Amino acid sequence: MPRPTRFRPALSRRARLGATTVAALVAGTAVFGVGQATAEHSVPRTDKEIPNLTQVQDKIKAYYGDTVTADGEHYASPHSNYARQVRGIEAEARTYLSKALARHDRAGKQSEPVKPAIVLDMDDTTLLTYNYELQVGFHYTEESQDKYLAHTDMDPVFGMNRLVNWAHAKGAEVFFLTGRKEAQRDWSVRNLKNVGYGVPLDRRHVYLKNKENPPAYLPCGATCTTVEYKSGTRKHIESLGYDVVANFGDQYSDLSGGAGDRTFKLPNPMYYLP
């Protein structure tokens, strides 16, 4: 986050149910019956090229195993296909990190050590926005996000708190790198602590986007794209003497631009961030 209004054209900064979802549906992986997507054009030629919005939302809810509490709150199920997919990615990451961190440990005993680090996005990488998304009807606004974050903790993405704590115990420095605005720092740090991320969460380890006072290490300043902001910050982290052995994100823009040995893409069909 931050994000624009839902369901705006693909050029908006965050397009809900965006290009990634639409591309998959256009490819014919979903059955919509009458009106299903048949081809992809930048401007649809007929209604048949546009996935039915209600059916897309229903599929997203089914994928997350939508669970409704007695007071009407929506939560993702730990038994959902989403949770199973996440667990598979985490298992792959743990196997990789076991080897990468062991290599760093051996190398550090032989020469001047470079400390290994992992970098993680926040929304839908370490904190699950599903409850917020359903509460606002997939219609993001800065005001609704501020109101939610000020008083509500998002659940951790299933198992990511355990993976992060394990990697830290194995010697990895942990950095959070999010597009959330600087004014949301206290809420974000509180949330991470409350859902079990037992790693340092000071300003040196948690990076938020500061358009009013952008850091000097970002040449693009307040005009950075997501890729420029995130890759530039990872390069800054490496300049401090770290090797980013793994970079985690739910958007390809979280992972592009280099400055990371290995990337891990978390699933997110709810929105797209170019």
Side-chain angles (χ1 to χ4, degrees), residues 60-67 75-88 128 130 155-159 162:
I60 288 174
K61 291 177 184 178
Y63 170 62
Y64 281 93
D66 186 54
T67 303
Y75 292 93
S77 168
H79 308 294
S80 63
N81 287 337
Y82 166 77
R84 281 191 280 272
Q85 188 176 358
V86 166
R87 284 194 291 270
L128 184 59
Y130 183 76
D155 289 336
V157 169
F158 297 113
R162 293 189 294 274

Side-chain angles (χ1 to χ4, degrees), residues 100-266:
L101 296 176
R103 284 196 301 270
H104 260 276
D105 185 55
R106 290 193 298 270
K109 293 175 182 177
Q110 299 170 7
S111 61
E112 186 70 22
V114 176
K115 190 169 178 64
I118 62 174
V119 174
L120 306 105
D121 173 56
M122 201 170 290
D123 291 302
D124 294 299
T125 300
T126 50
L127 298 175
L128 184 59
T129 72
Y130 183 76
N131 175 260
Y132 164 77
E133 303 290 354
L134 269 291
Q135 190 173 111
V136 299
F138 296 102
H139 186 77
Y140 165 86
T141 65
E142 284 195 12
E143 293 77 16
S144 68
Q145 187 194 39
D146 282 348
K147 182 179 179 181
Y148 188 94
L149 295 178
H151 303 290
T152 309
D153 285 335
M154 293 177 174
D155 289 336
V157 169
F158 297 113
M160 283 300 291
N161 49 356
R162 293 189 294 274
L163 176 66
V164 167
N165 293 342
W166 169 84
H168 185 252
K170 291 290 185 180
E173 200 78 6
V174 177
F175 296 93
F176 295 91
L177 173 55
T178 175
R180 289 186 181 186
K181 58 190 178 184
E182 178 62 33
Q184 296 171 331
R185 176 177 294 277
D186 288 347
W187 305 332
S188 301
V189 168
R190 178 210 69 214
N191 194 161
L192 290 167
K193 286 181 179 177
N194 286 349
V195 298
Y197 287 94
V199 297
L201 295 170
D202 54 33
R203 289 180 175 271
R204 196 170 68 87
H205 292 88
V206 181
Y207 290 85
L208 292 94
K209 202 163 192 179
N210 191 338
K211 285 189 174 182
E212 289 72 26
N213 297 289
Y217 58 77
L218 292 177
C220 48
T223 65
C224 288
T225 64
T226 301
V227 173
E228 290 171 335
Y229 161 61
K230 296 218 166 184
S231 64
T233 304
R234 291 195 301 274
K235 290 171 185 174
H236 168 69
I237 291 170
E238 290 195 326
S239 76
L240 300 176
Y242 296 96
D243 172 23
V244 178
V245 295
N247 178 29
F248 295 79
D250 64 289
Q251 303 289 321
Y252 289 108
S253 53
D254 295 330
L255 308 174
S256 301
D261 298 344
R262 174 83 179 265
T263 61
F264 291 91
K265 171 73 169 60
L266 278 294

